[in-house]
Amino acid sequence: MKKTATDVLPAEGGLGNDPLLSVEDLHVEFATRAGLVKAVNGVSYTLSAGETLAVLGESGSGKSVTAQAIMGILDMPPARIPKGAIRFQGTDLLKLSEEARTQIRGRRIAMIFQDALSALNPVFTVGWQIGEMFRVHQGMSKRDAEKKAVELMDRVRIPAAKQRVHDFPHQFSGGMRQRIMIAMSIALDPEVLIADEPTTALDVTVQAQIMELLAELQRESNMGLILITHDLGVVADVADKIAVMYGGRIVENAPVHDIYRRPAHPYTKGLLESIPRVDLKGQDLYAIKGLPPNLLDMPTGCAFHPRCPYRQDNCVTSVPELYEIDPNRSSACHYWREVLDGTDE
Amino acid sequence: MSDIRPVGPTRAETEQDAAEQVMTVGVPETPLTVEPERKPGKQARPASLWNDAWYDLRRRPLFVLSAVLIAILLVMAVFPGLFSRVNPMDATTCVLSNARQAPSSVHWFGTDNLGCDVYARTIYGARNSIVVGVSTTIVTALFGGLLGLIAGFKSGATDTVLSRTTEIFFAIPQILGALLILSVFGTGNVWTIMLALSVLAWPMTFRIMRAAVITAKNQDYVIAARALGAGSGRIMFRHILPNAVAPVIVIATINLGGFIAAEAALSFLGVGIQSPDISWGLMIDSARDRFLEAFAPLLFPALFLSITVLAFIMLGDAVRDALDPKLR
């Protein structure tokens, strides 16, 4: 009914068997003064409609850079994508023109950011900013766009939306601002929504509300959701599957239940053990030893080996491939069996 | 804190309401605070950066004083006849035998070397000063601002070429450069002066705009706008420009006073406004030889010049304070 200008692009709803979005062997590097920073080294994942994929990893693991590559908002240069493909319903986004990508951004694939205060333009009202989506992409009149903005603000459960459309971002609380950001991103019913640490800047009670809202919106529209986070607790309830990233690689892929019960990579295991638990009150909290890898000077072999309790000699020399554990799971550890067994109670 | 109760009014909102009340209750009626009547029950429009700045400005004595002075000067420039019944452009009003009279009830500021009324000439001199100041400011703000926006947004080679170009202009002292340009033109009038000053002054606006754009460009909301499908033009003019324009407005206001002073200096040096046209700089120049015999022909245009320049610089200061939230 709408969206007529997307001729070059895959048809709505996808064609046949192609997954909604698949990232294939993606490499991203940054040319810096200090040298070539390899931020993403061969990341692959797929996302189907209605599915939630949580991408988990610490700062510098490449999770946000992967997302920015999907959106096409990396500054190139300094960034470069020497290898890989990002297929959106079968079409490789990396091969499209900038113009075609602008058509996709916001309309088919949208993104929400960590800090909604800085992601909203301070000089315009929230109604203007939400309405901008309709004015830019659909040429809607100012008045209609504002009406739509109020509807969307209702949809993301902002109380008294009608009175508040003319307010500016700084007049909202953190949670409300993130809701506005979400309203903007879902305005055009995108098929894929990428949420880059959507709750990191919020406090715990609000985090739960925002996650709930995202899950609800996803159920309503059957969009694919990529949830980027460093917080294991946030994703447990909403994610279907999890990809754990370390040093620009995916180290473990698994359905959400398996990963919490039986991690198959020492890094994932370390992350899970670092979560404070009530039943272990009084004991020392576990922490993964050492520091995240320096992307300018990656360790040889497995990037995690300097910090790994399961390390053997060959970890230092040979890079582990992603071993398939079962059809839904994989782990990039030579000794995944030992790790799995070690957590088997 | 406010996150715990996302349903109620946020703190910012309550503060806003309080500010709104102060605004409607505590402000005495002055011509500067005329506001459209708010309909009861309708939500008051909340404060944007500009509304905030305006609200803030109206409370600054510095702003009120300079605004009043500038308003008077503008009226003087447009309708000098309102202030003086004598038209100094009419040569018959100058009587040579009245030369160098002291201020009196007939000639409020005395008369000059040719017996012309200094008061009338000072009033009529405002126009040229204001025209040069305002037009130079507009031209430099538009030209320098636009190039600065492009350079800051595009970066890379475009930026390098433009930035190095401005550095060449920075190396030229303003008055000397303008002197050179005007002597090439051969004729000094408001438009050639405007041109000469603009050529030398746009790099300043360029730099400020460029810096502001670079700051704004890397803000999350610009990246977010891109991620939500805004094109380059839209990002540049809708998202970056409104966030980068404040420092340019400030510097433009402050520069305006400087341009007026520069016009007077050029006219004083003989390459600016030419007689029989009237300019404060020209008046000061012609009065300086006989200064010891008659101080009035020099004092009054100099006084008007100083007050005008001061008024614009004070305005610029007030605007800067109002637009820079960190100084609040």
Side-chain angles (χ1 to χ4, degrees):
Chain A
M1 44 192 184
K2 49 185 180 181
K3 299 175 186 167
T4 46
T6 52
D7 312 328
V8 230
L9 307 171
E12 300 278 314
L15 303 165
N17 301 331
D18 287 321
L20 181 60
L21 182 82
S22 72
V23 177
E24 292 163 18
D25 194 27
L26 184 75
H27 288 72
V28 182
E29 49 195 37
F30 293 87
T32 68
R33 236 166 254 179
L36 201 62
V37 176
K38 295 188 173 170
V40 177
N41 304 304
V43 162
S44 306
Y45 52 67
T46 60
L47 180 72
S48 321
E51 192 177 44
T52 302
L53 165 71
V55 180
L56 204 72
E58 59 199 0
S59 313
S61 63
K63 54 193 196 303
S64 292
V65 174
T66 311
Q68 284 166 17
I70 296 173
M71 291 309 301
I73 53 172
L74 283 171
D75 273 328
M76 327 246 249
R80 226 172 37 204
I81 302 181
K83 225 175 128 187
I86 297 167
R87 290 188 205 289
F88 176 56
Q89 295 173 352
T91 310
D92 188 355
L93 295 180
L94 297 177
K95 296 209 170 75
L96 292 180
S97 68
E98 179 57 30
E99 225 167 289
R101 298 206 75 176
T102 308
Q103 290 284 318
I104 296 183
R105 280 199 281 266
R107 195 190 292 247
R108 315 281 301 270
I109 307 179
M111 183 162 177
I112 54 184
F113 292 81
Q114 175 177 347
D115 183 0
L117 177 59
S118 56
L120 292 168
N121 194 326
V123 304
F124 294 115
T125 64
V126 297
W128 189 95
Q129 294 188 56
I130 300 172
E132 191 186 19
M133 298 299 293
F134 298 105
R135 294 196 308 274
V136 172
H137 291 280
Q138 299 179 357
M140 215 179 252
S141 76
K142 252 186 186 160
R143 181 170 306 184
D144 291 344
E146 190 178 300
K147 232 180 265 163
K148 286 287 233 177
V150 176
E151 278 172 32
L152 273 165
M153 285 169 73
D154 271 331
R155 213 173 138 202
V156 296
R157 296 156 189 73
I158 292 173
K162 208 164 194 150
Q163 281 84 55
R164 304 214 65 185
V165 275
H166 296 296
D167 282 3
F168 288 86
H170 67 269
Q171 292 167 307
F172 288 85
S173 67
M176 288 295 132
R177 283 197 287 258
Q178 195 55 279
R179 283 167 197 266
I180 288 157
M181 195 69 229
I182 292 171
M184 284 172 71
S185 63
I186 62 163
L188 302 175
D189 285 322
E191 289 136 86
V192 177
L193 181 63
I194 302 175
D196 189 356
E197 310 216 12
T199 59
T200 307
L202 306 174
D203 56 340
V204 183
T205 47
V206 185
Q207 279 183 3
Q209 292 169 8
I210 294 289
M211 291 316 301
E212 222 168 275
L213 174 67
L214 280 172
E216 268 179 55
L217 292 170
Q218 186 193 23
R219 240 172 284 138
E220 287 167 22
S221 65
N222 202 37
M223 62 188 172
L225 179 62
I226 297 179
L227 205 59
I228 296 166
T229 180
H230 60 246
D231 189 343
L232 276 163
V234 164
V235 297
D237 298 328
V238 291
D240 298 311
K241 55 185 192 182
I242 291 187
V244 182
M245 287 188 70
Y246 187 81
R249 267 203 182 83
I250 290 190
V251 292
E252 182 167 4
N253 260 322
V256 71
H257 300 295
D258 297 346
I259 219 166
Y260 280 90
R261 216 171 306 130
R262 288 179 73 204
H265 193 281
Y267 176 60
T268 319
K269 189 165 177 254
L271 282 181
L272 287 166
E273 281 166 2
S274 322
I275 300 176
R277 278 163 48 186
V278 179
D279 54 321
L280 298 179
K281 199 173 164 189
Q283 298 179 28
D284 282 344
L285 185 62
Y286 177 81
I288 302 176
K289 287 174 195 62
L291 292 171
N294 178 358
L295 294 175
L296 275 170
D297 182 23
M298 290 289 272
T300 55
C302 173
F304 190 60
H305 84 251
R307 307 169 74 183
C308 183
Y310 291 85
R311 180 181 59 213
Q312 306 286 332
D313 291 344
N314 68 335
C315 294
V316 184
T317 51
S318 86
V319 180
E321 58 179 296
L322 261 178
Y323 297 102
E324 189 172 284
I325 300 169
D326 66 47
N328 293 320
R329 291 195 73 173
S330 50
S331 163
C333 178
H334 295 305
Y335 301 98
W336 60 268
R337 276 190 191 84
E338 283 82 342
V339 183
L340 263 184
D341 292 343
T343 52
D344 208 355
E345 277 135 69
Chain B
M1 241 186 71
S2 48
D3 282 335
I4 298 167
R5 37 192 283 262
V7 181
T10 61
R11 233 173 57 203
E13 193 178 68
T14 18
E15 272 165 23
Q16 171 65 20
D17 288 344
E20 217 75 70
Q21 277 161 21
V22 172
M23 204 155 101
T24 41
V25 176
V27 182
E29 276 295 313
T30 72
L32 286 169
T33 56
V34 182
E35 279 184 70
E37 195 71 21
R38 287 204 171 107
K39 285 182 196 119
K42 200 182 169 191
Q43 165 103 355
R45 208 170 164 77
S48 68
L49 174 71
W50 304 107
N51 289 355
D52 250 10
W54 178 230
Y55 176 82
D56 187 70
L57 272 179
R58 281 176 299 173
R59 266 146 208 81
R60 282 173 192 272
L62 198 68
F63 171 77
V64 175
L65 180 67
S66 58
V68 168
L69 277 175
I70 288 167
I72 294 172
L73 281 162
L74 286 177
V75 175
M76 201 183 278
V78 182
F79 308 110
L82 288 178
F83 293 81
S84 162
R85 274 177 293 108
V86 181
N87 182 353
M89 307 303 275
D90 178 4
T92 58
T93 58
C94 301
V95 182
L96 206 51
S97 58
N98 286 346
R100 290 187 293 284
Q101 279 186 0
S104 66
S105 59
V106 186
H107 303 294
W108 291 358
F109 293 175
T111 57
D112 64 9
N113 289 334
L114 299 172
C116 301
D117 185 64
V118 173
Y119 175 72
R121 284 177 67 83
T122 308
I123 297 294
Y124 276 76
R127 179 178 292 174
N128 283 337
S129 295
I130 299 283
V131 169
V132 168
V134 172
S135 61
T136 312
T137 303
I138 291 173
V139 170
T140 51
L142 289 182
F143 187 70
L146 190 67
L147 287 182
L149 181 62
I150 293 170
F153 187 70
K154 295 261 183 218
S155 63
T158 321
D159 181 28
T160 311
V161 170
L162 285 169
S163 294
R164 295 299 89 78
T165 312
T166 61
E167 273 152 29
I168 298 172
F169 284 96
F170 269 118
I172 307 170
Q174 199 175 19
I175 290 294
L176 276 183
L179 210 108
L180 190 78
I181 296 172
L182 284 169
S183 48
V184 170
F185 277 129
T187 55
N189 62 44
V190 282
W191 304 116
T192 51
I193 296 172
M194 182 272 281
L195 217 65
L197 291 176
S198 301
V199 164
L200 296 159
W202 70 268
M204 165 103 86
T205 325
F206 168 89
R207 281 221 164 164
I208 285 161
M209 183 57 125
R210 175 177 169 273
V213 167
I214 288 173
T215 314
K217 185 172 75 164
N218 294 320
Q219 296 291 321
D220 282 354
Y221 53 79
V222 174
I223 300 167
R226 235 176 106 201
L228 292 175
S232 284
R234 190 163 191 92
I235 287 173
M236 192 150 93
F237 289 104
R238 282 306 203 163
H239 289 275
I240 294 180
L241 185 61
N243 284 292
V245 80
V248 173
I249 291 175
V250 170
I251 202 71
T253 324
I254 293 175
N255 276 351
L256 210 157
F259 294 139
I260 290 175
E263 180 274 320
L266 290 168
S267 301
F268 178 85
L269 292 171
V271 292
I273 307 280
Q274 305 291 323
S275 203
D277 215 354
I278 300 169
S279 145
W280 292 334
L282 205 58
M283 289 170 72
I284 295 169
D285 180 39
S286 56
R288 101 196 121 96
D289 294 338
R290 303 292 191 92
F291 172 57
L292 291 177
E293 292 161 58
F295 68 92
L298 189 142
L299 178 70
F300 287 105
L303 198 67
F304 269 60
L305 177 65
S306 311
I307 289 173
T308 308
V309 173
L310 183 71
F312 279 107
I313 289 176
M314 285 194 316
L315 181 72
D317 258 6
V319 171
R320 184 193 58 207
D321 291 352
L323 285 180
D324 189 348
K326 288 185 203 93
L327 289 176
R328 293 238 175 106

